[in-house]
């Protein structure tokens, strides 16, 4: 209650009393405002918590894929590398990284085999050339055999030249095939 004396010409004639109901209405508005503020703060906290959980559900598998690519690059044993299986976009990304890794491993194996074959094919004529030059250098052979060795040297040089041309053509053709874009055709 709020009270105030009623005074006129210095005499008190009564007391004015203001009912509690007016102040009760303002405290009810205050209580509603407080409840709305608490709800808003709670809502913001819940949203922050949910966004942290959601971001972790995205970041954790991407970090795992990143670690797997590092293991692939370092050529760790395939038994230690297990890609995550999921039915969403991250699962699709995982499958594509795995396919890319297998394709690169296959390309590396083919390149290693190819370089071993090339070095073997080039060493044979080089060894033959070295032997022929050593024999000619000794001057202990007849002119007829010397001419035969010179013909062998010419043939080995032609063979090496043809091998180098074939290697060059093969690598150029393989690069063109690898870089060519595939075009999908609908057969309806």
């Amino acid at each position: 209650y709020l009270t105030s004396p009623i005074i006129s010409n210095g005499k008190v004639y009564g007391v004015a009393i203001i009912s509690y109901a007016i102040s009760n209405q303002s405290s009810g508005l205050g209580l509603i405002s407080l409840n709305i503020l608490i709800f808003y703060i709670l809502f913001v906290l819940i949203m922050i918590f949910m966004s942290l959980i959601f971001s972790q559900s995205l970041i954790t598998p991407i970090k795992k894929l990143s670690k797997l690519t590092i293991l692939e690059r370092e050529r760790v044993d395939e038994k230690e590398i297990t890609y995550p299986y999921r039915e969403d976009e991250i699962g699709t990304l995982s499958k594509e990284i795995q396919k890319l890794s297998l394709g690169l491993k296959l390309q590396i194996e083919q390149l290693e085999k190819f370089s071993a074959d090339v070095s073997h094919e080039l060493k044979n004529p080089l060894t033959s050339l070295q032997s022929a030059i050593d024999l000619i250098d000794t001057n202990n052979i007849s002119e007829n055999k010397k001419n035969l060795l010179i013909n062998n040297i010419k043939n080995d040089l032609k063979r090496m030249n043809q091998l180098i041309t074939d290697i060059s053509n093969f690598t150029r053709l393989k690069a063109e095939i690898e870089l060519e874009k595939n075009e999908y055709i609908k057969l309806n």
Side-chain angles (χ1 to χ4, degrees), residues 148-182:
L148 180 66
L149 286 175
I150 289 173
N151 282 337
N152 284 345
I153 289 173
K154 288 178 184 178
N155 288 336
D156 284 340
L157 288 172
K158 284 180 188 176
R159 187 171 146 210
M160 285 179 64
N161 190 24
Q162 185 60 44
L163 277 171
I164 291 170
T165 302
D166 290 346
I167 291 167
S168 175
N169 289 338
F170 172 76
T171 53
R172 182 183 48 79
L173 183 64
K174 183 149 177 75
E176 286 176 4
I177 290 171
E178 293 293 326
L179 293 176
E180 187 174 309
K181 291 185 178 180
N182 295 330

Side-chain angles (χ1 to χ4, degrees), residues 40-80:
Y40 177 74
I41 290 172
L42 210 72
F43 180 75
V44 168
L45 290 175
I46 289 172
M47 291 306 294
I48 290 171
F49 180 71
M50 295 297 287
S51 66
L52 288 174
I53 290 174
F54 180 70
S55 66
Q56 285 302 314
S57 71
L58 290 175
I59 291 172
T60 302
I62 291 174
K63 282 183 180 179
K64 185 173 183 180
L65 285 175
S66 176
K67 288 178 184 176
L68 289 174
T69 57
I70 291 169
L71 291 175
E72 290 282 3
R73 185 182 67 216
E74 293 175 356
R75 293 187 178 196
V76 174
D77 187 23
E78 288 182 23
K79 294 174 185 170
E80 295 179 25

Side-chain angles (χ1 to χ4, degrees), residues 79 118 140:
K79 294 174 185 170
V118 166
N140 291 339

Side-chain angles (χ1 to χ4, degrees), residues 112-122:
E112 288 172 348
K113 185 177 183 288
F114 178 72
S115 63
D117 291 345
V118 166
S119 66
H120 177 72
E121 289 297 321
L122 288 175

Side-chain angles (χ1 to χ4, degrees), residues 7-62:
I7 302 172
S8 179
N9 294 331
K11 289 185 176 183
V12 176
Y13 289 102
V15 176
I17 300 174
I18 299 175
S19 168
Y20 179 72
I22 294 174
S23 67
N24 190 17
Q25 185 180 7
S26 67
S27 74
L29 289 175
L31 187 60
I32 291 172
S33 297
L34 182 63
N35 285 340
I36 290 173
L37 178 66
I38 290 172
F39 174 75
Y40 177 74
I41 290 172
L42 210 72
F43 180 75
V44 168
L45 290 175
I46 289 172
M47 291 306 294
I48 290 171
F49 180 71
M50 295 297 287
S51 66
L52 288 174
I53 290 174
F54 180 70
S55 66
Q56 285 302 314
S57 71
L58 290 175
I59 291 172
T60 302
I62 291 174

